[in-house]
mmCIF file of all heavy atoms in Angstrom:
data_model
loop_
_atom_site.group_PDB
_atom_site.id
_atom_site.type_symbol
_atom_site.label_atom_id
_atom_site.label_comp_id
_atom_site.label_asym_id
_atom_site.label_seq_id
_atom_site.Cartn_x
_atom_site.Cartn_y
_atom_site.Cartn_z
ATOM 1 N N GLU A 1 68.996 86.491 103.814
ATOM 2 C CA GLU A 1 69.998 87.331 104.456
ATOM 3 C C GLU A 1 71.409 86.985 103.988
ATOM 4 O O GLU A 1 72.277 87.868 103.919
ATOM 5 C CB GLU A 1 69.899 87.223 105.976
ATOM 6 C CG GLU A 1 68.585 87.721 106.546
ATOM 7 C CD GLU A 1 68.204 89.104 106.026
ATOM 8 O OE1 GLU A 1 69.089 89.978 105.998
ATOM 9 O OE2 GLU A 1 67.031 89.305 105.664
ATOM 10 N N ALA A 2 71.657 85.716 103.646
ATOM 11 C CA ALA A 2 72.957 85.352 103.080
ATOM 12 C C ALA A 2 73.156 86.030 101.729
ATOM 13 O O ALA A 2 74.242 86.551 101.428
ATOM 14 C CB ALA A 2 73.060 83.838 102.936
ATOM 15 N N ILE A 3 72.096 86.063 100.917
ATOM 16 C CA ILE A 3 72.185 86.730 99.615
ATOM 17 C C ILE A 3 72.372 88.229 99.795
ATOM 18 O O ILE A 3 73.192 88.862 99.118
ATOM 19 C CB ILE A 3 70.928 86.430 98.779
ATOM 20 C CG1 ILE A 3 70.887 84.947 98.407
ATOM 21 C CG2 ILE A 3 70.896 87.292 97.519
ATOM 22 C CD1 ILE A 3 69.598 84.521 97.721
ATOM 23 N N VAL A 4 71.606 88.815 100.715
ATOM 24 C CA VAL A 4 71.708 90.256 100.969
ATOM 25 C C VAL A 4 73.131 90.628 101.393
ATOM 26 O O VAL A 4 73.731 91.577 100.864
ATOM 27 C CB VAL A 4 70.701 90.688 102.049
ATOM 28 C CG1 VAL A 4 71.024 92.077 102.578
ATOM 29 C CG2 VAL A 4 69.291 90.669 101.481
ATOM 30 N N CYS A 5 73.682 89.893 102.354
ATOM 31 C CA CYS A 5 75.043 90.191 102.811
ATOM 32 C C CYS A 5 76.070 89.936 101.701
ATOM 33 O O CYS A 5 77.043 90.692 101.561
ATOM 34 C CB CYS A 5 75.378 89.355 104.042
ATOM 35 S SG CYS A 5 74.477 89.853 105.532
ATOM 36 N N GLY A 6 75.834 88.885 100.903
ATOM 37 C CA GLY A 6 76.744 88.603 99.800
ATOM 38 C C GLY A 6 76.752 89.710 98.763
ATOM 39 O O GLY A 6 77.816 90.127 98.286
ATOM 40 N N VAL A 7 75.555 90.199 98.409
ATOM 41 C CA VAL A 7 75.474 91.304 97.443
ATOM 42 C C VAL A 7 76.102 92.569 98.016
ATOM 43 O O VAL A 7 76.794 93.319 97.317
ATOM 44 C CB VAL A 7 74.004 91.554 97.048
ATOM 45 C CG1 VAL A 7 73.875 92.822 96.207
ATOM 46 C CG2 VAL A 7 73.450 90.363 96.281
ATOM 47 N N ALA A 8 75.885 92.822 99.312
ATOM 48 C CA ALA A 8 76.429 94.029 99.936
ATOM 49 C C ALA A 8 77.952 94.009 99.998
ATOM 50 O O ALA A 8 78.601 95.048 99.849
ATOM 51 C CB ALA A 8 75.848 94.185 101.339
ATOM 52 N N VAL A 9 78.532 92.837 100.212
ATOM 53 C CA VAL A 9 79.986 92.752 100.341
ATOM 54 C C VAL A 9 80.672 92.585 98.987
ATOM 55 O O VAL A 9 81.899 92.765 98.884
ATOM 56 C CB VAL A 9 80.373 91.589 101.285
ATOM 57 C CG1 VAL A 9 80.322 90.241 100.565
ATOM 58 C CG2 VAL A 9 81.743 91.820 101.907
ATOM 59 N N LEU A 10 79.910 92.287 97.938
ATOM 60 C CA LEU A 10 80.504 92.031 96.623
ATOM 61 C C LEU A 10 81.351 93.187 96.110
ATOM 62 O O LEU A 10 82.483 92.963 95.634
ATOM 63 C CB LEU A 10 79.401 91.680 95.620
ATOM 64 C CG LEU A 10 79.868 91.365 94.194
ATOM 65 C CD1 LEU A 10 80.805 90.158 94.200
ATOM 66 C CD2 LEU A 10 78.673 91.109 93.286
ATOM 67 N N PRO A 11 80.877 94.449 96.141
ATOM 68 C CA PRO A 11 81.741 95.545 95.661
ATOM 69 C C PRO A 11 83.054 95.639 96.420
ATOM 70 O O PRO A 11 84.097 95.951 95.834
ATOM 71 C CB PRO A 11 80.880 96.793 95.882
ATOM 72 C CG PRO A 11 79.483 96.290 95.906
ATOM 73 C CD PRO A 11 79.548 94.943 96.549
ATOM 74 N N VAL A 12 83.014 95.370 97.719
ATOM 75 C CA VAL A 12 84.240 95.429 98.518
ATOM 76 C C VAL A 12 85.206 94.321 98.106
ATOM 77 O O VAL A 12 86.411 94.542 97.952
ATOM 78 C CB VAL A 12 83.903 95.323 100.016
ATOM 79 C CG1 VAL A 12 85.177 95.320 100.857
ATOM 80 C CG2 VAL A 12 82.986 96.462 100.436
ATOM 81 N N VAL A 13 84.677 93.121 97.900
ATOM 82 C CA VAL A 13 85.525 91.994 97.490
ATOM 83 C C VAL A 13 86.147 92.264 96.127
ATOM 84 O O VAL A 13 87.353 92.020 95.911
ATOM 85 C CB VAL A 13 84.695 90.691 97.464
ATOM 86 C CG1 VAL A 13 85.503 89.559 96.838
ATOM 87 C CG2 VAL A 13 84.254 90.313 98.869
ATOM 88 N N LEU A 14 85.352 92.770 95.187
ATOM 89 C CA LEU A 14 85.884 93.079 93.852
ATOM 90 C C LEU A 14 86.983 94.138 93.934
ATOM 91 O O LEU A 14 87.997 94.054 93.221
ATOM 92 C CB LEU A 14 84.755 93.556 92.941
ATOM 93 C CG LEU A 14 83.715 92.503 92.560
ATOM 94 C CD1 LEU A 14 82.606 93.125 91.726
ATOM 95 C CD2 LEU A 14 84.368 91.343 91.821
ATOM 96 N N PHE A 15 86.777 95.141 94.792
ATOM 97 C CA PHE A 15 87.809 96.166 94.962
ATOM 98 C C PHE A 15 89.095 95.557 95.494
ATOM 99 O O PHE A 15 90.199 95.868 95.002
ATOM 100 C CB PHE A 15 87.320 97.259 95.910
ATOM 101 C CG PHE A 15 88.412 98.199 96.345
ATOM 102 C CD1 PHE A 15 88.843 99.209 95.501
ATOM 103 C CD2 PHE A 15 89.026 98.050 97.592
ATOM 104 C CE1 PHE A 15 89.862 100.074 95.898
ATOM 105 C CE2 PHE A 15 90.046 98.900 97.982
ATOM 106 C CZ PHE A 15 90.466 99.922 97.133
ATOM 107 N N TRP A 16 88.992 94.688 96.502
ATOM 108 C CA TRP A 16 90.191 94.084 97.077
ATOM 109 C C TRP A 16 90.911 93.201 96.065
ATOM 110 O O TRP A 16 92.151 93.164 96.038
ATOM 111 C CB TRP A 16 89.826 93.291 98.330
ATOM 112 C CG TRP A 16 89.699 94.147 99.551
ATOM 113 C CD1 TRP A 16 88.669 94.979 99.862
ATOM 114 C CD2 TRP A 16 90.642 94.281 100.599
ATOM 115 N NE1 TRP A 16 88.890 95.615 101.047
ATOM 116 C CE2 TRP A 16 90.102 95.216 101.537
ATOM 117 C CE3 TRP A 16 91.878 93.714 100.869
ATOM 118 C CZ2 TRP A 16 90.772 95.578 102.701
ATOM 119 C CZ3 TRP A 16 92.542 94.079 102.049
ATOM 120 C CH2 TRP A 16 91.988 95.006 102.935
ATOM 121 N N ILE A 17 90.142 92.498 95.242
ATOM 122 C CA ILE A 17 90.773 91.665 94.213
ATOM 123 C C ILE A 17 91.545 92.529 93.222
ATOM 124 O O ILE A 17 92.708 92.243 92.888
ATOM 125 C CB ILE A 17 89.709 90.823 93.481
ATOM 126 C CG1 ILE A 17 89.134 89.765 94.430
ATOM 127 C CG2 ILE A 17 90.318 90.150 92.250
ATOM 128 C CD1 ILE A 17 87.975 88.989 93.840
ATOM 129 N N GLU A 18 90.910 93.612 92.771
ATOM 130 C CA GLU A 18 91.573 94.511 91.831
ATOM 131 C C GLU A 18 92.767 95.203 92.481
ATOM 132 O O GLU A 18 93.821 95.362 91.855
ATOM 133 C CB GLU A 18 90.584 95.552 91.317
ATOM 134 C CG GLU A 18 89.539 94.996 90.374
ATOM 135 C CD GLU A 18 90.171 94.449 89.102
ATOM 136 O OE1 GLU A 18 91.115 95.082 88.589
ATOM 137 O OE2 GLU A 18 89.724 93.389 88.633
ATOM 138 N N PHE A 19 92.622 95.611 93.716
ATOM 139 C CA PHE A 19 93.711 96.286 94.411
ATOM 140 C C PHE A 19 94.901 95.352 94.597
ATOM 141 O O PHE A 19 96.059 95.746 94.413
ATOM 142 C CB PHE A 19 93.228 96.793 95.767
ATOM 143 C CG PHE A 19 94.304 97.456 96.577
ATOM 144 C CD1 PHE A 19 94.674 98.773 96.311
ATOM 145 C CD2 PHE A 19 94.955 96.777 97.597
ATOM 146 C CE1 PHE A 19 95.674 99.393 97.041
ATOM 147 C CE2 PHE A 19 95.953 97.397 98.334
ATOM 148 C CZ PHE A 19 96.318 98.704 98.066
ATOM 149 N N THR A 20 94.623 94.101 94.954
ATOM 150 C CA THR A 20 95.698 93.131 95.147
ATOM 151 C C THR A 20 96.452 92.880 93.850
ATOM 152 O O THR A 20 97.686 92.757 93.833
ATOM 153 C CB THR A 20 95.126 91.812 95.689
ATOM 154 O OG1 THR A 20 94.456 92.059 96.927
ATOM 155 C CG2 THR A 20 96.223 90.786 95.916
ATOM 156 N N ALA A 21 95.692 92.796 92.745
ATOM 157 C CA ALA A 21 96.344 92.558 91.450
ATOM 158 C C ALA A 21 97.129 93.773 90.981
ATOM 159 O O ALA A 21 98.143 93.644 90.279
ATOM 160 C CB ALA A 21 95.287 92.190 90.408
ATOM 161 N N TRP A 22 96.686 94.967 91.362
ATOM 162 C CA TRP A 22 97.309 96.202 90.867
ATOM 163 C C TRP A 22 98.526 96.627 91.672
ATOM 164 O O TRP A 22 99.512 97.123 91.121
ATOM 165 C CB TRP A 22 96.260 97.318 90.917
ATOM 166 C CG TRP A 22 96.818 98.691 90.691
ATOM 167 C CD1 TRP A 22 97.167 99.255 89.498
ATOM 168 C CD2 TRP A 22 97.103 99.661 91.701
ATOM 169 N NE1 TRP A 22 97.655 100.517 89.691
ATOM 170 C CE2 TRP A 22 97.624 100.806 91.044
ATOM 171 C CE3 TRP A 22 96.962 99.679 93.089
ATOM 172 C CZ2 TRP A 22 98.005 101.949 91.736
ATOM 173 C CZ3 TRP A 22 97.346 100.821 93.773
ATOM 174 C CH2 TRP A 22 97.853 101.931 93.104
ATOM 175 N N THR A 23 98.487 96.420 92.994
ATOM 176 C CA THR A 23 99.551 96.945 93.837
ATOM 177 C C THR A 23 100.864 96.199 93.629
ATOM 178 O O THR A 23 100.891 94.986 93.386
ATOM 179 C CB THR A 23 99.155 96.865 95.322
ATOM 180 O OG1 THR A 23 100.170 97.482 96.100
ATOM 181 C CG2 THR A 23 98.980 95.418 95.778
ATOM 182 N N THR A 24 101.956 96.941 93.706
ATOM 183 C CA THR A 24 103.303 96.352 93.573
ATOM 184 C C THR A 24 104.124 96.589 94.836
ATOM 185 O O THR A 24 105.347 96.533 94.809
ATOM 186 C CB THR A 24 104.031 96.981 92.370
ATOM 187 O OG1 THR A 24 104.083 98.406 92.525
ATOM 188 C CG2 THR A 24 103.323 96.621 91.062
ATOM 189 N N LEU A 25 103.451 96.872 95.953
ATOM 190 C CA LEU A 25 104.149 97.132 97.197
ATOM 191 C C LEU A 25 104.813 95.865 97.727
ATOM 192 O O LEU A 25 104.403 94.739 97.410
ATOM 193 C CB LEU A 25 103.168 97.676 98.237
ATOM 194 C CG LEU A 25 102.514 99.032 97.922
ATOM 195 C CD1 LEU A 25 101.446 99.338 98.967
ATOM 196 C CD2 LEU A 25 103.566 100.137 97.895
ATOM 197 N N ASN A 26 105.839 96.050 98.548
ATOM 198 C CA ASN A 26 106.456 94.908 99.213
ATOM 199 C C ASN A 26 105.499 94.386 100.284
ATOM 200 O O ASN A 26 104.505 95.050 100.611
ATOM 201 C CB ASN A 26 107.811 95.303 99.821
ATOM 202 C CG ASN A 26 107.681 96.432 100.833
ATOM 203 O OD1 ASN A 26 106.784 96.439 101.671
ATOM 204 N ND2 ASN A 26 108.596 97.397 100.749
ATOM 205 N N PRO A 27 105.748 93.206 100.842
ATOM 206 C CA PRO A 27 104.796 92.630 101.801
ATOM 207 C C PRO A 27 104.470 93.535 102.978
ATOM 208 O O PRO A 27 103.314 93.605 103.411
ATOM 209 C CB PRO A 27 105.518 91.355 102.262
ATOM 210 C CG PRO A 27 106.371 90.979 101.108
ATOM 211 C CD PRO A 27 106.834 92.274 100.511
ATOM 212 N N ILE A 28 105.445 94.254 103.498
ATOM 213 C CA ILE A 28 105.175 95.134 104.638
ATOM 214 C C ILE A 28 104.298 96.301 104.213
ATOM 215 O O ILE A 28 103.321 96.659 104.890
ATOM 216 C CB ILE A 28 106.498 95.651 105.246
ATOM 217 C CG1 ILE A 28 107.302 94.488 105.831
ATOM 218 C CG2 ILE A 28 106.202 96.699 106.327
ATOM 219 C CD1 ILE A 28 108.647 94.892 106.405
ATOM 220 N N GLY A 29 104.613 96.901 103.060
ATOM 221 C CA GLY A 29 103.797 98.003 102.564
ATOM 222 C C GLY A 29 102.385 97.562 102.233
ATOM 223 O O GLY A 29 101.412 98.288 102.491
#
């Protein structure tokens, strides 16, 4: 179940990593 949840959340984590690197918004935005 740890592997299942890890695989399921992986696309979301990758998206957040890419989004964080891409965005140039100020801290509030």
Side-chain angles (χ1 to χ4, degrees):
E1 297 310 315
I3 293 173
V4 166
C5 290
V7 172
V9 80
L10 181 61
V12 177
V13 171
L14 292 177
F15 169 79
W16 278 75
I17 291 174
E18 289 297 320
F19 178 80
T20 301
W22 169 78
T23 185
T24 57
L25 296 173
N26 59 44
I28 295 178

